[in-house]
Amino acid sequence: MATPGGNQDADKSAASFKAFLLKNSTESNTNLYDHLTRVLMRVMDERPHNAVDVIEDLSRDVKRGLLQDNQSTLRDHQPTATAGQLLADQQRLLFSPGQETEEDEVEVETLLPNVAEIGFYLEQAGVGLGREETQRIFLALKQLLDSRPLKYCRLWGKILGVQSNYVVAEVQYREGEEETQDDEEEDEMGEVIDPLPRSTYKPPPVVPKEANGTGANKFVYHVCKEPGLPWIELPSVTPAQISAARQIRRFFTGRLDAPVVSYPPFPGNEANYLRAQIARISAGTQVSPRGFYMFEEEEGDEEDEEPRDSYVVNPDFEGFPASEMAEDPGSTWVHHVQHILKQGRCTWVNVAVKPEQESSEEEEEEKEEELDEPEPKGEEGPPLLTSLSKDADMFDTPPWSSRMSSTLTPQHAVAVLRSNLWPGAHAYACGKKFENIYIGWGLKFAGDGHTPSVPPPPQQEYISGPEVSEALDPTLEEEQAQKAALEEQQASQEESEDMDGEEEEDDDDEEDD
């Protein structure tokens, strides 16, 4: 017979055990009592065969059902767009037909380069961007022609970057419609009340940049990161930027406003550095078959001393066989872009000669000093349409490599030319057709390694002389001798003062008498 005390203990233990089962978990916020109740209810509803063998699966399904119910609100959120979908939205404008007149369509078709044909020949040469990207670039160039008054447009190439790339287009504006770029120079010289001492250092004279449409600024370049994104016009290049670009070696980031941290310091940001590299690459790698271009005949037989900077297409050009252009590139290919001199310009200018201005006395003194200096010698580079045989080797490497696109079917092959000094620069020729393209990192071949420029020696601060030189410390004997001499001098001065005082007293006594 059970005692009343024993029933009370059993009820207490059952109540404490139920309270333990009703304790919520800190991770799932559920308790074991409710979970077992749901599992048993499901067993009663389904009555599975061999329930003891599937009790674990039923428990897992019950837990998964609770999680799905708790996370059901996340289904209402739309998934974020991927990078491919964002790019497709940006490039949607490329495939939308614009509203143009028939005259505009004919003009655009004549100016628009046949990028598909160029890509076909480059694909045979083992170079290119792929058919899909080539078609998008073709539509992007059409978009560029529709938005700007251009008379010439060509795909220059693609420069690779660390974060993004640059698609480069080479264009020329119509006469009178070129966008002018204002060179902002801050010359704020206020009234100086207390002028500072003038430094004796004379900076080298600034080499003026070439005018738009001439020399290194003959063409204008636009870049975009991806076809469909807006085209951005690069600024004109200066000789200082070209000279600095020759001394540094730096990858592009893909951001035009990124600073160029280098030594020697580069005067500008990445947009200026990109423009300088484009000018250097064009001057060294833009080639054409010999005879495709010719100099325009001028009136008179007198030969001008100045080198020519323009040419015209030769209508009588018949072309060379592809095998001949591949076997002997030195005599069948020529440069059709002006060479850039060490000064950073295509035509040398004497910076010592200043324009006529109202000169002050200080400027006249400077002119007198300049008269004593010898006049600088002018630079002369190779003229236009110079053959590749005159190109110099660098680091025991020939500047060019040539081959046939196919040796199995040479009758349908094209001649391929590759630059070894600017890796990524290629050219092809097939009959009367040729094209140049650059696809690379925008860096020149540097041999075994790049050697940075050595900093110049520090400038002398002042002229050393006895008035600015520090005296040597005296020895102990010299200090004692100098101290004794000072004591004797002071004693003699005191004696002389006492003698003068006594004489004055005697004079006063005589006057009183």
Side-chain angles (χ1 to χ4, degrees):
M1 182 175 179
T3 62
N7 293 334
Q8 292 179 359
D9 295 340
D11 293 341
K12 289 181 180 180
S13 62
S16 63
F17 183 67
K18 185 177 180 180
F20 173 75
L21 295 177
L22 290 172
K23 187 178 180 181
N24 289 340
S25 173
T26 57
E27 297 181 359
S28 60
N29 198 25
T30 58
N31 56 72
L32 183 58
Y33 185 86
D34 294 338
H35 178 68
L36 292 175
T37 302
R38 294 188 186 95
V39 173
L40 293 177
M41 291 293 293
R42 187 167 180 177
V43 171
M44 293 174 63
D45 294 340
E46 298 181 1
R47 295 183 182 275
H49 183 66
N50 297 331
V52 68
D53 298 331
V54 296
I55 189 68
E56 293 84 358
D57 298 335
L58 294 175
S59 175
R60 189 182 304 108
D61 293 342
V62 170
K63 287 184 177 181
R64 187 179 292 112
L66 292 176
L67 293 175
Q68 289 178 357
D69 292 338
N70 293 335
Q71 297 179 358
S72 60
T73 56
L74 297 177
R75 297 178 182 177
D76 299 334
H77 295 279
Q78 297 181 355
T80 57
T82 61
Q85 293 174 350
L86 294 176
L87 182 60
D89 294 339
Q90 295 172 351
Q91 296 179 348
R92 187 173 299 171
L93 295 176
L94 297 176
F95 301 94
S96 59
Q99 296 179 358
E100 299 177 353
T101 61
E102 294 182 359
E103 296 179 357
D104 294 339
E105 291 180 357
V106 172
E107 185 178 2
V108 168
E109 288 178 0
T110 55
L111 295 178
L112 188 64
N114 192 349
V115 181
E117 182 182 6
I118 296 172
F120 169 74
Y121 286 113
L122 291 175
E123 187 177 355
Q124 293 189 33
V127 186
L129 302 171
R131 297 184 180 181
E132 183 178 352
E133 186 176 2
T134 301
Q135 184 64 23
R136 291 201 301 265
I137 292 176
F138 173 76
L139 297 175
L141 291 176
K142 182 177 181 297
Q143 191 179 36
L144 177 62
L145 284 169
D146 295 341
S147 60
R148 290 170 175 82
L150 305 178
K151 67 176 182 180
Y152 169 79
C153 181
R154 185 181 77 89
L155 174 62
W156 185 87
K158 183 177 182 179
I159 291 185
L160 308 179
V162 178
Q163 300 177 7
S164 60
N165 307 323
Y166 294 114
V167 179
V168 186
E170 183 181 86
V171 302
Q172 273 186 328
Y173 284 93
R174 299 172 189 168
E175 294 183 1
E177 298 185 2
E178 185 173 357
E179 298 178 1
T180 58
Q181 298 177 357
D182 297 333
D183 296 333
E184 298 180 358
E185 296 182 359
E186 298 182 356
D187 294 335
E188 298 180 357
M189 299 294 291
E191 295 182 359
V192 181
I193 300 175
D194 188 9
L196 297 175
R198 292 185 59 185
S199 174
T200 58
Y201 170 73
K202 294 181 180 180
V206 178
V207 181
K209 71 175 184 179
E210 294 173 300
N212 294 337
T214 61
N217 292 319
K218 183 177 182 180
F219 298 100
V220 181
Y221 294 90
H222 291 74
V223 297
C224 68
K225 295 183 179 181
E226 288 288 344
L229 297 181
W231 289 93
I232 301 175
E233 181 179 343
L234 296 179
S236 56
V237 68
T238 62
Q241 293 168 356
I242 293 179
S243 300
R246 285 171 169 168
Q247 303 178 54
I248 64 177
R249 188 174 179 85
R250 185 179 184 273
F251 284 105
F252 291 96
T253 62
R255 294 181 291 110
L256 293 176
D257 58 346
V260 181
V261 181
S262 63
Y263 182 82
F266 184 82
N269 54 12
E270 185 163 303
N272 304 106
Y273 178 57
L274 176 62
R275 181 63 182 86
Q277 291 297 91
I278 290 175
R280 296 179 61 203
I281 295 172
S282 299
T285 63
Q286 298 289 318
V287 295
S288 59
R290 179 172 56 85
F292 186 87
Y293 294 113
M294 67 177 187
F295 294 115
E296 189 175 3
E297 296 181 358
E298 299 180 356
E299 296 181 358
D301 298 331
E302 297 180 358
E303 295 182 357
D304 298 335
E305 295 181 357
E306 297 182 357
R308 299 186 179 183
D309 57 354
S310 61
Y311 47 79
V312 294
V313 178
N314 183 9
D316 301 330
F317 177 72
E318 297 181 356
F320 294 94
S323 57
E324 182 179 352
M325 300 195 71
E327 292 175 1
D328 188 12
S331 60
T332 55
W333 294 84
V334 296
H335 291 276
H336 61 264
V337 176
Q338 285 183 283
H339 175 75
I340 300 179
L341 305 174
K342 293 181 179 180
Q343 195 182 41
R345 293 169 49 101
C346 295
T347 56
W348 186 80
V349 61
N350 187 3
V351 295
V353 179
K354 298 181 180 179
E356 295 181 358
Q357 297 176 352
E358 295 181 358
S359 59
S360 59
E361 296 179 357
E362 297 178 355
E363 292 179 354
E364 290 179 358
E365 293 178 359
E366 293 179 357
K367 288 182 180 180
E368 292 178 358
E369 295 178 358
E370 291 176 357
L371 291 175
D372 299 335
E373 300 178 358
E375 294 184 0
K377 296 182 179 180
E379 293 182 63
E380 291 184 2
L384 272 177
L385 307 183
T386 301
S387 62
L388 303 189
S389 59
K390 297 184 179 180
D391 291 1
D393 297 351
M394 185 174 290
F395 304 107
D396 298 330
T397 302
W400 299 95
S401 297
S402 60
R403 62 180 179 85
M404 296 282 291
S405 62
S406 176
T407 56
L408 300 177
T409 57
Q411 61 273 18
H412 300 294
V414 298
V416 183
L417 194 65
R418 179 173 63 89
S419 174
N420 296 326
L421 302 184
W422 289 98
H426 294 81
Y428 75 85
C430 180
K432 296 183 180 181
K433 298 179 180 179
F434 79 96
E435 189 58 57
N436 295 270
I437 194 169
Y438 179 85
I439 305 174
W441 294 94
L443 298 177
K444 192 174 183 179
F445 176 66
D448 297 335
H450 173 65
T451 303
S453 302
V454 180
Q459 183 186 3
Q460 190 174 4
E461 295 183 359
Y462 53 84
I463 301 175
S464 180
E467 64 278 0
V468 295
S469 299
E470 185 178 0
L472 297 177
D473 294 338
T475 60
L476 180 61
E477 292 77 7
E478 292 176 350
E479 288 183 357
Q480 292 177 352
Q482 187 176 6
K483 185 178 180 181
L486 290 174
E487 291 176 353
E488 291 178 359
Q489 186 178 1
Q490 291 177 358
S492 61
Q493 289 179 356
E494 292 176 356
E495 291 178 359
S496 61
E497 290 176 357
D498 294 341
M499 294 292 292
D500 294 339
E502 291 177 358
E503 290 178 356
E504 290 177 358
E505 291 178 357
D506 295 339
D507 295 338
D508 294 338
D509 294 340
E510 291 177 357
E511 290 177 359
D512 294 337
D513 295 339

